[in-house]
Amino acid sequence: LKFPKEIDWAQTEAVVVSSFYHEDEIEQDLRSVYEYHGLVIKLNEIGQTQPFFLCLSRADLHVDQKFQDLLKRNEGLKNRHKNKRIFILCCGPSIHQQDLTVLKNEITMAVSSFYMHKDLKTIQPDYYCNAQWARNEKLTDDLEMEYLKELKKHVGHSHYFFAVQEKELIENSHVFDLEEVNYYYYDYNDPHGIRKPFLYQEVDLCQEIMPVHSVPVLCIQLALYMGFDEIYLLGTEHDSLKTNRYTYFYDKDKCITGRKDVTIDENDQLIWNFDESLADTYRLWEDYKTVKRIADAGNVKIYNATIGGVLDIFP
């Protein structure tokens, strides 16, 4: 690859502009700044409603061969809980205000460090979902190994979900039985989910699922695949953009991963600039809109049972 100033434009026969929305600006720069007089081909044709690179189908997404057999095990989860309801237990501080013991006879799915909740043993979550780890200087393999052992020690029997990329660590931890673990796959290198609004019309755990910006969206996808027709969210405030704070129901200093988020300082204040927080919240809302669209198509109801917060996608 070369920078524009390094290209011999006089010897260039044609330029293909693959950008969407800015193709006219690019052509103008080519003509005026670089004095290019050749052919300009724009992949955004008049009347297009989406970029050419989004004109793909789910059939065009191929899971890496090494993961296919692992994901095929998920066939047994398809519609396992048809016409039932599930409560997704997240870690927002609002669950301090709720009596979660009433869920002891309900089907529940807990996430992340929910194992620190005082009512864990009473509820005994049927499913436990862990988001794919975003490694940084604090979130290392060694820390994840410590977390996995702590998770299993507290939760015990449950059905666990992990990203396929974590498989080696899961097996090396020697704390989980093969039959109690299922894996999911999404492309973590697609952090902005640029393809998702057009590609993800359904959830298929045997294939790639939608990349997520928060674990509740992952849980909703799992619940849709398992056939639940009512999904309830608890502890999903998502109000950090409004409060400039990111807190949980538990004491972060007593949690293995509690102080490992590089986007939050020691006072739980967001380090990100406002524009970064705004963009991140927008992407999260797009995630929720996408799973809601999938749910609506299957007549699945999603309710936000969180006290407070700002998540307004669901009733």
Side-chain angles (χ1 to χ4, degrees):
L1 295 178
K2 294 183 178 181
F3 291 104
K5 292 181 179 179
E6 300 174 339
I7 296 175
D8 185 351
W9 293 104
Q11 298 300 317
T12 302
E13 294 183 17
V15 174
V16 177
V17 181
S18 61
S19 178
F20 197 66
Y21 303 124
H22 301 287
E23 61 275 6
D24 292 335
E25 297 172 32
I26 293 173
E27 182 177 12
Q28 183 177 353
D29 281 349
L30 286 169
R31 304 298 191 194
S32 60
V33 178
Y34 303 106
E35 299 182 349
Y36 175 66
H37 302 293
L39 178 64
V40 175
I41 302 170
K42 302 175 185 178
L43 295 184
N44 173 23
E45 298 295 339
I46 295 174
Q48 264 185 261
T49 58
Q50 65 190 57
F52 77 95
F53 51 81
L54 294 179
C55 297
L56 301 169
S57 67
R58 282 298 299 267
D60 295 308
L61 292 180
H62 298 290
V63 177
D64 193 308
Q65 182 68 40
K66 64 183 178 182
F67 298 140
Q68 288 183 3
D69 289 341
L70 194 63
L71 294 177
K72 190 172 178 58
R73 291 185 57 235
N74 292 331
E75 288 180 346
L77 298 173
K78 180 69 172 177
N79 292 327
R80 171 184 282 190
H81 297 289
K82 193 71 174 174
N83 301 324
K84 295 183 179 179
R85 67 180 184 178
I86 186 171
F87 293 81
I88 297 174
L89 310 176
C90 300
C91 297
S94 63
I95 59 176
H96 269 314
Q97 306 173 52
Q98 296 176 301
D99 177 14
L100 301 186
T101 62
V102 298
L103 300 178
K104 64 181 180 180
N105 294 320
E106 298 282 354
I107 301 175
T108 55
M109 179 183 293
V111 310
S112 306
S113 295
F114 183 86
Y115 67 81
M116 298 187 67
H117 197 280
K118 62 182 179 61
D119 295 326
L120 175 73
K121 292 301 181 184
T122 300
I123 301 170
Q124 193 55 52
D126 300 272
Y127 297 97
Y128 212 102
C129 181
N130 296 266
Q132 185 177 341
W133 276 43
R135 299 294 196 283
N136 58 48
E137 62 270 23
K138 294 182 178 180
L139 290 174
T140 62
D141 285 357
D142 289 341
L143 184 71
E144 182 174 6
M145 185 67 75
E146 185 181 352
Y147 164 80
L148 292 172
K149 292 179 179 179
E150 191 78 358
L151 173 66
K152 179 62 174 178
K153 182 178 76 173
H154 284 84
V155 178
H157 177 69
S158 187
H159 201 115
Y160 298 88
F161 288 97
F162 297 100
V164 292
Q165 292 85 346
E166 317 291 345
K167 179 177 181 290
E168 184 175 354
L169 270 171
I170 302 301
E171 293 179 347
N172 289 341
S173 71
H174 301 296
V175 295
F176 298 97
D177 295 330
L178 176 64
E179 295 305 314
E180 66 179 351
V181 173
N182 278 76
Y183 293 93
Y184 60 84
Y185 172 77
Y186 61 74
D187 184 3
Y188 196 76
N189 293 317
D190 184 24
H192 302 299
I194 195 168
R195 301 174 304 180
K196 69 174 173 25
F198 303 97
L199 286 181
Y200 299 98
Q201 305 297 328
E202 62 179 356
V203 179
D204 184 356
L205 287 186
C206 297
Q207 300 294 328
E208 178 182 343
I209 61 174
M210 184 182 73
V212 303
H213 295 89
S214 190
V215 68
V217 182
L218 172 58
C219 294
I220 292 173
Q221 292 187 81
L222 301 177
L224 289 171
Y225 184 77
M226 289 191 285
F228 290 99
D229 67 355
E230 289 186 4
I231 301 170
Y232 295 83
L233 301 173
L234 293 91
T236 55
E237 282 92 315
H238 293 313
D239 56 2
S240 58
L241 184 64
K242 180 179 180 181
T243 65
N244 199 41
R245 290 173 58 80
Y246 207 104
T247 58
Y248 302 101
F249 74 84
Y250 51 81
D251 182 347
K252 287 185 179 180
D253 292 321
K254 297 180 180 178
C255 177
I256 290 174
T257 61
R259 294 292 178 188
K260 308 303 180 184
D261 190 337
V262 295
T263 67
I264 303 170
D265 66 18
E266 64 277 5
N267 297 313
D268 297 327
Q269 299 287 317
L270 292 177
I271 296 174
W272 278 352
N273 294 327
F274 181 78
D275 61 338
E276 295 174 306
S277 299
L278 185 64
D280 189 65
T281 301
Y282 173 79
R283 291 192 292 265
L284 176 58
W285 253 239
E286 289 298 298
D287 286 353
Y288 276 119
K289 288 178 182 178
T290 299
V291 291
K292 182 181 186 300
R293 172 172 49 76
I294 297 172
D296 289 346
N299 294 317
V300 177
K301 304 299 183 184
I302 303 176
Y303 300 101
N304 184 9
T306 302
I307 294 177
V310 297
L311 180 59
D312 59 355
I313 302 296
F314 313 109

